[in-house]
C-alpha cells in the first residue's frame, strides 16, 4: 500500500495525471481493494494527492469507508482519579476497569451497584442539535457526510459541533 501511495504521489508531483489517467485510475482501484486496511494518514494522503492531480473522483470510495480508529482520531480514555461518585451518581473507582456499557452508551445498567469505574470525562453531553459528543471514539461517518444521524442521542459515535459557515 505504501509503495503504491509513493508511486502515485511521485506521478502527481510530476503533473502526470493528464498524460497517464489510466495509471491513476488503476492505482485507485488497487488501493480501494485495500480499503479498510488503509490508515487515516494513508487515506488523507490519497485524498490530497488525487485532489492535487484533479482526480478526486478516482478516490471517492474513501468517503464511504468506516473510520479506522487510529490513535490520531480518538482521545485516550483515562480512568477516575478519585473514589466517589460522578455527576450522574455512578461510582468512580480509580484503578478499576472502565465500565464497558458506560464507555459505549453513556449509561450503566447496574447503576450505583456497578463495580466498574465511571469517569466523569466519559459523561456524554449533547451538541446543539441533540447528538452525542464523544471525542474518545471515532466520528460518526454518516453525520460527517450528511450532517444528521438517524440514531440521534443513542448513536455510539462522536458528533462534533458543526463549524459555522462563512457565506
Amino acid at each position: 500500500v505504501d509503495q503504491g501511495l509513493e508511486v502515485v504521489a511521485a506521478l502527481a508531483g510530476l503533473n502526470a495525471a493528464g498524460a497517464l489517467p489510466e495509471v491513476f485510475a488503476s492505482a485507485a482501484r488497487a488501493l480501494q481493494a485495500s480499503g479498510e486496511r488503509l490508515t487515516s494518514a494513508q487515506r488523507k494522503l490519497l485524498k490530497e494527492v488525487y485532489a492535487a492531480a484533479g482526480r478526486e473522483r478516482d478516490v471517492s470510495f474513501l468517503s464511504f469507508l468506516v473510520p479506522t480508529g487510529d490513535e490520531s482520531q480518538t482521545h485516550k480514555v483515562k480512568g477516575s482519579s478519585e473514589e466517589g461518585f460522578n455527576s450522574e451518581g455512578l461510582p468512580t473507582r480509580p484503578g478499576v476497569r472502565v465500565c464497558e456499557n458506560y464507555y459505549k452508551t453513556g449509561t450503566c445498567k447496574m447503576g450505583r451497584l456497578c463495580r466498574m469505574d465511571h469517569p466523569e470525562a466519559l459523561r456524554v453531553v449533547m451538541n446543539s442539535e441533540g447528538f452525542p459528543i464523544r471525542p474518545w471514539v471515532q466520528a460518526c461517518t454518516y453525520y460527517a457526510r450528511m450532517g444528521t444521524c438517524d440514531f440521534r442521542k443513542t448513536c455510539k459515535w462522536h458528533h462534533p459541533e458543526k463549524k459555522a459557515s462563512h457565506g
Side-chain angles (χ1 to χ4, degrees):
V1 171
D2 286 331
Q3 291 173 339
L5 285 169
E6 287 177 25
V7 169
V8 171
L11 289 172
L14 295 171
N15 202 17
L20 303 168
E22 65 282 347
V23 172
F24 279 82
S26 295
R29 283 192 299 275
L31 290 164
Q32 183 175 3
S34 300
E36 298 300 330
R37 294 189 315 266
L38 294 171
T39 66
S40 296
Q42 290 170 329
R43 292 175 189 194
K44 183 179 179 187
L45 178 62
L46 263 177
K47 284 180 184 179
E48 290 171 356
V49 167
Y50 274 77
R55 308 266 324 161
E56 299 94 338
R57 69 186 175 282
D58 290 342
V59 292
S60 61
F61 68 90
L62 292 171
S63 63
F64 298 104
L65 295 177
V66 174
T68 62
D70 291 36
E71 292 303 316
S72 61
Q73 289 186 353
T74 59
H75 294 23
K76 274 287 189 198
V77 176
K78 293 180 182 167
S80 300
S81 57
E82 293 182 20
E83 185 89 23
F85 295 92
N86 67 15
S87 61
E88 296 175 335
L90 297 170
T92 56
R93 305 181 194 280
V96 176
R97 194 175 78 202
V98 172
C99 175
E100 190 172 336
N101 200 48
Y102 187 70
Y103 174 80
K104 288 181 179 177
T105 68
T107 62
C108 177
K109 296 174 185 173
M110 298 296 292
R112 293 177 74 101
L113 300 175
C114 187
R115 291 186 251 163
M116 301 296 158
D117 185 25
H118 304 82
E120 186 67 31
L122 291 183
R123 189 173 67 82
V124 176
V125 294
M126 301 297 173
N127 69 15
S128 60
E129 297 179 280
F131 299 107
I133 296 175
R134 294 187 171 108
W136 55 90
V137 295
Q138 302 163 21
C140 175
T141 54
Y142 192 81
Y143 181 78
R145 275 187 279 146
M146 307 304 281
T148 189
C149 175
D150 293 340
F151 291 101
R152 301 246 3 128
K153 67 180 183 179
T154 62
C155 185
K156 65 181 182 176
W157 305 114
H158 178 50
H159 302 80
E161 286 288 355
K162 293 179 183 168
K163 295 180 175 117
S165 59
H166 303 289

